[in-house]
Amino acid sequence: MASILEWLKRLFGRKLFNLEWLRSLFRRSLNFPVSFLTAGWETIPDDETIEEEQLEEVLQRNCYLPVDIGDILLSRYQVVGKLGWGITSIVWLVRDLEMNDYMALKMFSHDMLPGEESTYYDKIKQGNQRHPGSGRVRTKIAEFEFIRFEIFNHLGILQEPLGESLQDIQNRSVGERLDKLSIQSTIYQMLLALDYMHTECNLIHGDIKGGIIFQEIGDKSRHDRYVQAEIEHPSARKIYFAYTFYRSRPLEPASQLGKIQLGDLGSAYPGDVPRNGQLLQPPLYRSPEVILEKEWNYPVDIWNLGVWAWSAFEGSRLFPPKENDDAYTTSAHLAYITGLLGPPPPDFIEPDTISAKYFDKDGNWIVEDCEVHPTSFEDLEKRLEGEDKEMFLDLMKGMITWRPEDRKTPRELIEHPWLQGIFWPPGCYKPTE
Ligand SMILES: Nc1ncnc2c1ncn2[C@@H]1O[C@H](COP(=O)(O)OP(=O)(O)OP(=O)(O)O)[C@@H](O)[C@H]1O
């Protein structure tokens, strides 16, 4: 027996005993494409406008790559369903037939070559991978270019398939808000993500909101169930000339909030380069230094995370748009901030700049047709009591301040008492120096 093994070893070398070789043999035996039904789906009526169809202008310019479920791109990636859509891309679940693995393929429209977004994903991959925040930021596995009719160049970014966004969870929760443990876990994990982005990758995220914080899938059998569901109940769709509009099918939600990832680096900026006057962030989560066109840098993300987390936990906005009106105005926003934080410190106000439209040199509010209503974090917070409330407010007050230099850093906030003594998902330990 031993001599037969010796003989086999000599014949096949080390490969015979290499587990990876066996694994790849097994994968290759499974690399056949899936057959999907060619009829039997629900046809969406013409008068119902769905998903990317709403972006008429983008469609007229033939921007998105027409893709059908079942297609095999580059002879390797079979499209098994549509995960979602955005202004710049359609995101598909694909099966890599070579590796027998699933990936999310973010297929950009041809006029949106996201050069910077793609290089930021490279930066995310290059930081210290032992930092616990490295896994909390969505990155890319690989990318490829797809050229259509020899003129339209589409970039495809392959990423880990993720589950529901926190916005989805919020939308289907009672009172449209996250529970205490979920918001604690989210703040903690997003601080890990920001510490990693700021200190290891020198990147500012610039656009933190529930819609781009996604749950990790963990249990990979969900991918197979997804394909099975698409085979048995093909996604609803409508066909418009050569383009098919599909109704998205997200991956099955997890039963409880586990690990999450901060996605979408489409609004990211390199840090360490002071800049002013450039707008970024969702308007309602925009920090005072951005609104007032002052110099801004990493602390914009801390304001953004704090204001978003408040809204997601309380179920009401800290700085709502103008009363009884959905339109965002800078004066209403600044009036709310002044009502909550008091007048800005005089050294924050710069005469002869946009600040002079709203504040005098001592920081007093001067806009006549927009009143400031004084309020406090204590009055606005409705869900907690006693020490719990005090600790939560203390955390928020370390994030939501006029001056960026008064805001705490992610590393300092990770140590906050409201975020201690809780069992975080595996791997979400504290960063060390
Ligand atoms: N890795 C992923 N796994 C699962 N679903 C995803 C993934 N990435 C994106 N999606 C889904 O696709 C949608 C669009 O993705 P994304 O926000 O990255 O696109 P976008 O074109 O950059 O959007 P926009 O430009 O409008 O901000 C998401 O809201 C989500 O539903």
Side-chain angles (χ1 to χ4, degrees):
M1 183 67 187
S3 63
I4 295 176
L5 270 176
E6 271 309 306
W7 178 77
L8 283 171
K9 244 188 198 174
R10 245 180 278 133
L11 191 65
F12 293 102
R14 292 167 61 87
K15 269 192 163 182
L16 186 69
F17 301 94
N18 180 333
L19 200 62
E20 198 39 53
W21 176 74
L22 276 177
R23 218 177 268 143
S24 90
L25 183 71
F26 178 66
R27 279 195 196 121
R28 273 159 215 272
S29 68
L30 293 172
N31 66 358
F32 47 83
V34 178
S35 297
F36 292 99
L37 292 179
T38 50
W41 50 76
E42 177 200 335
T43 301
I44 297 163
D46 283 347
D47 57 359
E48 191 186 331
T49 310
I50 63 153
E51 312 205 354
E52 71 269 27
E53 199 184 359
Q54 297 160 50
L55 306 174
E56 256 178 56
E57 203 216 322
V58 182
L59 291 172
Q60 272 163 12
R61 286 188 286 114
N62 202 3
C63 293
Y64 294 116
L65 177 70
V67 170
D68 281 314
I69 292 176
D71 282 357
I72 301 175
L73 303 175
L74 304 183
S75 314
R76 175 165 178 177
Y77 303 105
Q78 186 181 28
V79 177
V80 295
K82 179 179 170 189
L83 291 169
W85 67 283
I87 296 171
T88 56
S89 65
I90 306 288
V91 182
W92 304 94
L93 183 67
V94 296
R95 198 165 133 244
D96 179 347
L97 300 177
E98 248 175 51
M99 303 304 291
N100 192 32
D101 201 2
Y102 292 94
M103 294 181 200
L105 169 62
K106 182 166 175 164
M107 205 71 220
F108 285 88
S109 56
H110 71 75
D111 59 347
M112 281 288 171
L113 277 185
E116 287 183 342
E117 181 172 345
S118 180
T119 55
Y120 296 154
Y121 288 126
D122 289 331
K123 277 190 153 201
I124 295 294
K125 284 200 331 196
Q126 286 154 6
N128 172 11
Q129 296 304 297
R130 284 200 303 263
H131 186 294
S134 63
R136 305 297 105 236
V137 188
R138 190 179 62 178
T139 182
K140 71 177 173 195
I141 299 168
E143 70 177 43
F144 60 79
E145 279 184 21
F146 193 95
I147 299 171
R148 182 164 50 121
F149 302 137
E150 296 185 1
I151 44 170
F152 298 134
N153 199 349
H154 296 268
L155 181 73
I157 291 189
L158 291 156
Q159 302 181 309
E160 180 185 337
L162 298 169
E164 277 189 310
S165 74
L166 289 200
Q167 187 62 54
D168 297 327
I169 301 178
Q170 210 182 314
N171 290 348
R172 61 179 170 74
S173 309
V174 180
E176 295 201 9
R177 54 196 192 183
L178 299 178
D179 61 47
K180 184 179 143 194
L181 195 57
S182 298
I183 201 70
Q184 284 173 310
S185 179
T186 303
I187 296 174
Y188 179 78
Q189 293 190 58
M190 289 303 97
L191 288 170
L192 290 181
L194 290 181
D195 188 51
Y196 177 70
M197 284 190 74
H198 294 177
T199 62
E200 291 286 333
C201 315
N202 298 338
L203 281 177
I204 297 165
H205 186 278
D207 189 23
I208 302 164
K209 55 192 178 194
I212 58 158
I213 303 174
F214 298 98
Q215 279 190 289
E216 279 189 12
I217 288 294
D219 170 13
K220 296 213 167 187
S221 61
R222 288 210 206 125
H223 304 141
D224 293 328
R225 289 202 290 277
Y226 183 102
V227 177
Q228 201 54 37
E230 186 58 46
I231 293 172
E232 287 167 14
H233 309 285
S235 299
R237 66 198 73 172
K238 66 159 90 167
I239 300 170
Y240 183 74
F241 296 104
Y243 192 93
T244 307
F245 294 98
Y246 288 94
R247 205 187 292 289
S248 297
R249 184 196 294 269
L251 279 154
E252 218 178 273
S255 51
Q256 62 185 57
L257 191 77
K259 284 190 189 173
I260 51 177
Q261 289 188 23
L262 178 60
D264 203 350
L265 300 185
S267 304
Y269 272 93
D272 295 339
V273 187
R275 48 174 69 73
N276 49 356
Q278 246 164 305
L279 275 188
L280 86 162
Q281 303 180 301
L284 297 173
Y285 308 140
R286 197 168 276 160
S287 51
E289 63 271 32
V290 175
I291 303 174
L292 293 175
E293 300 180 8
K294 289 167 61 69
E295 198 171 297
W296 53 260
N297 217 315
Y298 299 111
V300 295
D301 281 339
I302 297 298
W303 173 281
N304 188 161
L305 178 62
V307 179
W308 169 78
W310 178 285
S311 314
F313 180 56
E314 295 296 327
S316 59
R317 290 197 164 125
L318 192 56
F319 309 121
K322 211 170 157 192
E323 258 173 85
N324 307 324
D325 186 359
D326 264 352
Y328 170 87
T329 67
T330 304
S331 45
H333 195 175
L334 286 169
Y336 272 113
I337 297 176
T338 309
L340 179 67
L341 302 182
D347 64 356
F348 188 74
I349 300 301
E350 289 166 1
D352 305 327
T353 65
I354 180 180
S355 309
K357 275 169 67 179
Y358 306 99
F359 303 100
D360 67 16
K361 65 175 181 28
D362 298 318
N364 298 309
W365 183 250
I366 54 168
V367 182
E368 278 178 5
D369 60 355
C370 183
E371 272 181 51
V372 168
H373 300 285
T375 178
S376 67
F377 284 103
E378 285 71 10
D379 283 347
L380 294 175
E381 204 297 304
K382 306 281 186 221
R383 297 192 70 186
L384 300 170
E385 285 177 353
E387 203 190 349
D388 210 13
K389 177 166 175 155
E390 270 172 39
M391 284 200 284
F392 172 64
L393 295 187
D394 186 69
L395 175 69
M396 289 293 121
K397 287 177 189 176
M399 302 174 87
I400 303 169
T401 65
W402 277 110
R403 283 204 207 96
E405 56 272 30
D406 293 340
R407 268 167 240 157
K408 298 213 166 104
T409 63
R411 191 72 68 104
E412 288 166 338
L413 291 161
I414 285 166
E415 299 294 339
H416 193 277
W418 203 61
L419 303 176
Q420 311 309 309
I422 299 162
F423 181 72
W424 300 130
C428 295
Y429 48 85
K430 284 186 198 167
T432 47
E433 288 304 326

